[in-house]
Amino acid sequence: MTVKPPPFEYVVATSVDHAINLVSQDEDAKFLAGGQSLIPLLSLRFASPTLLVDISRLAELRDVHRAGDVLHIGALTRHSDIHQLPLVKQDAPLLSEAAGWVAHSQVRNRGTFGGAIAHSDSAAEFPAVLLAVGATIVTRSADGERRIPCRDFFGSHFQTALRHGELLTGVELPRHAHFNRWGFSEFARRKGDYAIGGAAVNARVDERGRCTHVRAGLIAAGPGPTSAEGLDEALRDRVVDEAAVSEAVARVEGHLNPESNVHGTREYRRAVVAESLRRALLQAFDLDPAGTDRRTA
Ligand SMILES: Cc1cc2nc3c(=O)[nH]c(=O)nc-3n(C[C@H](O)[C@H](O)[C@H](O)COP(=O)(O)OP(=O)(O)OC[C@H]3O[C@@H](n4cnc5c(N)ncnc54)[C@H](O)[C@@H]3O)c2cc1C
């Protein structure tokens, strides 16, 4: 079935302020970045904005740089660059790995980091990584700049803390350090499809090998991007072994509430997310022989 989008006006923004002004003045206007989520929604008539403001040529939103302990990634950075840039591989290896799991190369070459975060699909990889590492979302609007911890940013069913006319300009991620460990696992029917379930894990260990902190973002585990509840309490101050991982996963699984859909029942999806979390934790704590090269800086 081919459906055509409803009619809309289209303007190419020449600056961040220009884009914000245009969208702020029209309550039915939307920003257009890579178009990889918005254009399909228009074509299916699930969205019908009167005005699309194309931000894709704003070079200032493509900047990736270090600032002290954080890595700043501009909103217009493409998924493929997140996957390939040496700076991202070094400072945010979990994010770089996850980017390779997003869709197919055609989508990764056009889709933008900011677009994926603003779209806030519960089955998307990037929100899970941001929750795992404790990233900060940076936005701009007519009222100025806001810095929003990601735990306060994502809501349920594609909702975020973004207000109308507020542009996501970039994200700040704590830079990977020698005491960090990470793991990523997801399951999809075909490589490049949206995940049926998945998990991104970020942990810290001390010099005695004890876990001092662990956080996981879960993929397709609920109505919005979801953190693994109870994980830190289960593993903190322990030398993590396979038994500890199983115990922690069982604890988290009880909190999971995925929605049944054409890809599987709630129970099946819960089991997939739990198994993904188990595998990601095994990688992170060097208990998975296949993942041993990935855990340290
Ligand atoms: C076939 C296919 C498979 C896909 N598979 C996956 C997958 O496996 N995993 C995954 O995570 N994604 C997947 N996607 C989605 C893809 O990652 C999109 O690129 C992403 O969700 C949106 O980024 P975009 O730049 O294309 O945003 P757009 O489509 O341009 O915009 C999406 C939404 O975000 C808003 N927006 C965009 N940029 C900003 C900004 N800077 N500030 C404020 N609001 C903004 C827009 O107004 C719109 O509401 C898939 C897409 C396709 C077509």
Side-chain angles (χ1 to χ4, degrees), residues 139-249:
T139 73
R140 221 152 92 203
S141 71
D143 297 329
E145 189 175 277
R146 280 209 296 162
R147 309 166 76 74
I148 311 167
C150 64
R151 64 173 180 277
D152 300 330
F153 183 81
F154 299 112
S156 71
H157 297 104
F158 302 95
Q159 299 299 307
T160 68
L162 283 173
R163 300 169 184 148
H164 184 72
E166 188 169 19
L167 185 75
L168 194 162
T169 53
V171 176
E172 289 174 354
L173 299 101
R175 287 175 54 204
H176 183 76
H178 70 278
F179 49 74
N180 283 119
R181 303 287 184 269
W182 63 272
F184 183 87
S185 177
E186 77 167 48
F187 176 73
R189 284 202 198 286
R190 295 174 306 180
K191 175 95 176 83
D193 281 1
Y194 269 106
I196 291 174
V201 167
N202 179 48
R204 265 186 242 151
V205 293
D206 65 16
E207 61 287 346
R208 290 175 302 160
R210 261 171 219 280
C211 171
T212 58
H213 168 87
V214 59
R215 200 156 33 191
L218 304 176
I219 301 172
T226 307
S227 291
E229 275 183 50
L231 185 66
D232 190 54
E233 293 83 339
L235 295 180
R236 187 189 281 258
D237 294 331
R238 295 178 72 169
V239 175
V240 176
D241 58 13
E242 281 193 48
V245 166
S246 299
E247 205 181 292
V249 171

Side-chain angles (χ1 to χ4, degrees), residues 30-40 55 75 79 101-104 107 110-112 114-116 118-119 123-125 162 166-168 192-194:
K30 273 189 148 315
F31 298 115
L32 174 69
Q36 298 303 294
S37 292
L38 187 52
I39 297 299
I55 58 170
H79 304 340
W101 291 82
V102 178
H104 313 276
V107 173
R110 292 207 65 82
T112 68
H119 188 56
E125 287 79 2
L162 283 173
E166 188 169 19
L167 185 75
L168 194 162
D193 281 1
Y194 269 106

Side-chain angles (χ1 to χ4, degrees), residues 42-183:
L42 294 184
S43 297
L44 293 165
R45 299 209 170 198
F46 288 153
S48 46
T50 48
L51 170 67
L52 288 189
V53 177
D54 187 342
I55 58 170
S56 66
R57 294 175 210 184
L58 301 178
E60 64 197 279
L61 298 180
R62 231 170 273 139
D63 184 33
V64 179
H65 67 267
R66 285 177 178 155
D69 290 344
V70 302
L71 179 70
H72 173 95
I73 301 185
L76 287 182
T77 310
R78 306 276 182 202
H79 304 340
S80 49
D81 290 328
I82 302 250
H83 185 45
Q84 286 160 8
L85 280 176
L87 187 56
V88 181
K89 276 186 203 277
Q90 196 179 336
D91 282 9
L94 174 57
L95 183 70
S96 171
E97 167 74 16
W101 291 82
V102 178
H104 313 276
S105 55
Q106 292 87 340
V107 173
R108 291 198 294 272
N109 287 339
R110 292 207 65 82
T112 68
F113 190 44
I117 296 159
H119 188 56
S120 183
D121 194 322
S122 100
E125 287 79 2
F126 291 149
V129 173
L130 301 198
L131 288 168
V133 302
T136 301
I137 315 285
V138 186
T139 73
R140 221 152 92 203
S141 71
D143 297 329
E145 189 175 277
R146 280 209 296 162
R147 309 166 76 74
I148 311 167
C150 64
R151 64 173 180 277
D152 300 330
F153 183 81
F154 299 112
S156 71
H157 297 104
F158 302 95
Q159 299 299 307
T160 68
L162 283 173
R163 300 169 184 148
H164 184 72
E166 188 169 19
L167 185 75
L168 194 162
T169 53
V171 176
E172 289 174 354
L173 299 101
R175 287 175 54 204
H176 183 76
H178 70 278
F179 49 74
N180 283 119
R181 303 287 184 269
W182 63 272

